[in-house]
Amino acid sequence: MHFAIFFFFAAVAVIFALVVILHRNPVVGALSLVASFFALAVMYVLLEAPFLAALQVIVYAGAIMVLFLFVIMLLNLKHQVEPATRPIQQFLGYTGSALFGIALVYYLSKYAVTQLPSGPFVADARTVGIKLFEAYIFPFEMVSILLLAAIVGALLLSGRLSGRREVAE
Amino acid sequence: MIPTHWFLILSAILFTIGVCGVLTRKNGITIFMSIELMVNAVNLTFLAYARQFHQVHGLIFVFFVMAIAAAEAAVGLAIFISLFHQRETIDVDEANLMRW
């Protein structure tokens, strides 16, 4: 049963990831990426990390991808046609990444750990929270400062703080 | 219970798809989404090894990676909005001001 769930959602994740990089319309790409992230959240549940599966759905599929969709719709890219990349770049990109992927899968299936983990390990919100607020409290505060800096940087880059756009007009 | 190396292989495939998207696309937002795909593949690897070795550290790292991906998405999309206001395009080949 677990294996059927694993293979079904692995196929869903890979197919929607392929749609992201092959489809011309970025809105379709963003929605496919949301579907791929949902399949990855199922993978996290299979890996016995339900707290991070919830975070994946709420933060990634809920917040980050909505930000992407808002920006795509704000920019109104409908009238733009994405020009095709040069053939040499296409060729090198596809063959290079295919070789990279084949090598990665080969060495992972050859050398990675193949024995099963010794017992059940359920990492719920309580386990993660205790670890996060005891051993990792300093990186946690650093991340909060980083997020604040990102907010200020995003405001500055979009020209809301300095009034640069009004001056340019 | 599903063996760990299957999750690792799935993660490798997703990472490769992300690399391919970055290398072959010109649309800045699509390149950005490919980067998010790679970040998620790495998260899957962290969780697979966290279960394998019964370590909570892997989960904490996934938490931090998600927070940093959120910050990265905010700043990167602001850069693309700024680029679109100046150049009327988000084609990354058009952003060549710092090119030698």
Side-chain angles (χ1 to χ4, degrees):
Chain A
M1 188 59 195
H2 279 190
F3 284 84
I5 295 172
F6 174 82
F7 280 116
F8 177 73
F9 282 101
V12 168
V14 170
I15 288 169
F16 279 110
L18 283 173
V19 170
V20 171
I21 69 161
L22 293 178
H23 204 279
R24 289 275 153 209
N25 189 349
V27 177
V28 176
L31 290 175
S32 314
L33 198 56
V34 172
S36 187
F37 286 169
F38 267 106
L40 273 174
V42 176
M43 292 295 149
Y44 293 178
V45 173
L46 283 179
L47 282 169
E48 289 144 12
F51 175 61
L52 283 163
L55 270 189
Q56 169 87 3
V57 171
I58 295 169
V59 175
Y60 255 113
I64 297 182
M65 292 319 295
V66 167
L67 190 63
F68 271 87
L69 277 175
F70 264 119
V71 169
I72 291 169
M73 291 170 183
L74 204 64
L75 295 185
N76 191 17
L77 300 171
K78 262 287 179 258
H79 57 280
Q80 295 209 351
V81 181
E82 182 185 350
T85 42
R86 281 168 302 183
I88 180 71
Q89 189 184 354
Q90 295 261 354
F91 175 75
L92 285 179
Y94 284 122
T95 51
S97 52
L99 284 177
F100 175 69
I102 289 168
L104 210 55
V105 170
Y106 174 73
Y107 283 107
L108 277 179
S109 53
K110 193 173 178 186
Y111 294 113
V113 280
T114 49
Q115 81 270 28
L116 283 170
S118 53
F121 169 67
V122 177
D124 51 356
R126 177 187 164 82
T127 324
V128 177
I130 288 173
K131 199 76 180 174
L132 189 63
F133 288 105
E134 280 177 355
Y136 285 91
I137 184 68
F138 184 66
F140 183 78
E141 296 296 334
M142 286 294 106
V143 161
S144 72
I145 293 174
L146 178 79
L147 284 171
L148 181 66
I151 293 169
V152 175
L155 278 174
L156 198 65
L157 279 170
S158 56
R160 290 289 178 274
L161 285 186
S162 60
R164 186 179 32 160
R165 284 180 61 214
E166 282 77 13
V167 170
E169 285 159 13
Chain B
M1 192 179 270
I2 298 160
T4 301
H5 62 286
W6 288 15
F7 287 104
L8 297 182
I9 288 170
L10 172 65
S11 157
I13 293 170
L14 287 176
F15 191 89
T16 307
I17 293 172
V19 170
C20 189
V22 169
L23 289 178
T24 58
R25 295 301 297 267
K26 274 186 171 178
N27 187 333
I29 289 184
T30 307
I31 290 178
F32 224 65
M33 290 194 285
S34 306
I35 293 174
E36 296 290 329
L37 207 56
M38 288 196 275
V39 167
N40 269 278
V42 173
N43 278 352
L44 185 62
T45 307
F46 267 126
L47 285 182
Y49 275 116
R51 187 193 64 162
Q52 176 73 33
F53 297 117
H54 291 202
Q55 293 280 330
V56 193
H57 303 285
L59 284 90
I60 307 283
F61 261 85
V62 172
F63 180 82
F64 286 135
V65 167
M66 278 182 185
I68 287 168
E72 172 218 340
V75 176
L77 291 171
I79 288 174
F80 282 126
I81 288 178
S82 180
L83 179 69
F84 189 77
H85 282 156
Q86 297 206 345
R87 298 278 174 113
E88 296 290 315
T89 179
I90 53 163
D91 191 333
V92 288
D93 281 4
E94 298 291 323
N96 53 5
L97 197 65
M98 291 179 76
R99 206 170 178 181
W100 51 276

